[in-house]
Amino acid sequence: MEEKKQNNRIMEVKDITLRFGGVTAIEGVSFDILEGEVRAIIGPNGAGKSSMLNVINGFYHPQQGEVWFNGQKRGAMKPYQIAYQGIARTFQNIALFKGMSTLDNIMTGRFTHMKSGMISQVFWKGKAEKEEYENREAVEKVIDFLEIQTIRKTEVGKLPYGLQKRVELGRALAAEPKLLLLDEPMAGMNVEEKEDMSRFILDVNEEFGTTVALIEHDMGVVMDIADRVVVMDYGKNIGDGTPKEIVSNQKVVDAYLGVSHD
């Protein structure tokens, strides 16, 4: 993959510790995400990866540590407030409205861009009408980008798994995020579906300039698309660097990879 020019830190997590009762899910983890990069978070099951994404987008509030976004320290915020800041998310388990169409599911991703009041929406005049057209246009662009025109009116629950994952990506993209969080976007996919999803992630990053942080278990995918990788194990950071540096890190090999790629 071509080396990219890295810019400012868009996100920093500093000394994050997260506990659930007597269980420590994350312990003293720090790393940054640079503007314009694809940042992978890897590690064994139960390492704390999804918990870290939940900290970044406000589902969990750590007992210790700091989260910085766009150069500002962030206080305790709810997920919808963080969405308005420009952070969007997909989930390990698909979280779509199964009885709604592809178009309507992606349209829900535009909620941060809906500014008109309830009265104007009821009468659908003036600002509300203009806003509706703008949001529809944005959603159609996402549908074209993800090459899902043929399923735009299909109920999501009737779609195969790989296409449902693509629709969920579309909903996140509809928000036009500065930082896109992807929790195992390739999980359950066959080789062809993984290739398609990898291509879309790279295109989102390169064409839209969207910063991407993703959890991924497929090291082939990580090697192909990630600029940098952070490795977690038992809630701790055990490695951080380029994919080539990570696969030659003996601590990472022992804990996760199993076989050195040297």
Side-chain angles (χ1 to χ4, degrees), residues 96-108:
L96 294 168
F97 300 102
K98 298 297 180 70
M100 291 168 51
S101 69
T102 293
L103 174 65
D104 289 338
N105 267 277
I106 296 176
M107 193 71 178
T108 64

Side-chain angles (χ1 to χ4, degrees), residues 12-16 26-32 39 52 230 237 240:
E12 291 180 86
V13 293
K14 300 180 179 181
D15 197 30
I16 296 294
I26 303 172
E27 184 177 357
V29 171
S30 300
F31 63 88
D32 60 14
R39 181 69 141 138
M52 179 57 76
V230 60
N237 181 339
D240 196 340

Side-chain angles (χ1 to χ4, degrees), residues 17-27 46 51 63:
T17 295
L18 177 70
R19 300 186 185 93
F20 300 102
V23 177
T24 301
I26 303 172
E27 184 177 357
S51 292
Q63 284 79 19

Side-chain angles (χ1 to χ4, degrees), residues 134-199:
E134 290 173 349
N135 287 326
R136 289 274 176 177
E137 184 178 8
V139 167
E140 292 295 348
K141 287 180 179 177
V142 170
I143 288 173
D144 288 344
F145 174 77
L146 293 176
E147 301 171 4
I148 50 177
Q149 300 94 332
T150 59
I151 60 166
R152 59 194 302 280
K153 294 185 178 180
T154 304
E155 283 187 20
V156 165
K158 297 179 180 178
L159 296 174
Y161 182 81
L163 283 178
Q164 288 190 33
K165 292 284 258 188
R166 203 184 300 185
V167 173
E168 189 174 37
L169 174 61
R171 183 175 62 183
L173 290 179
E176 299 179 21
K178 300 182 182 74
L179 174 60
L180 176 62
L181 307 175
L182 305 175
D183 194 347
E184 298 194 28
M186 318 285 177
M189 290 187 172
N190 59 37
V191 173
E192 184 179 353
E193 289 169 336
K194 285 183 179 182
E195 289 175 351
D196 287 340
M197 183 62 75
S198 296
R199 172 170 58 89

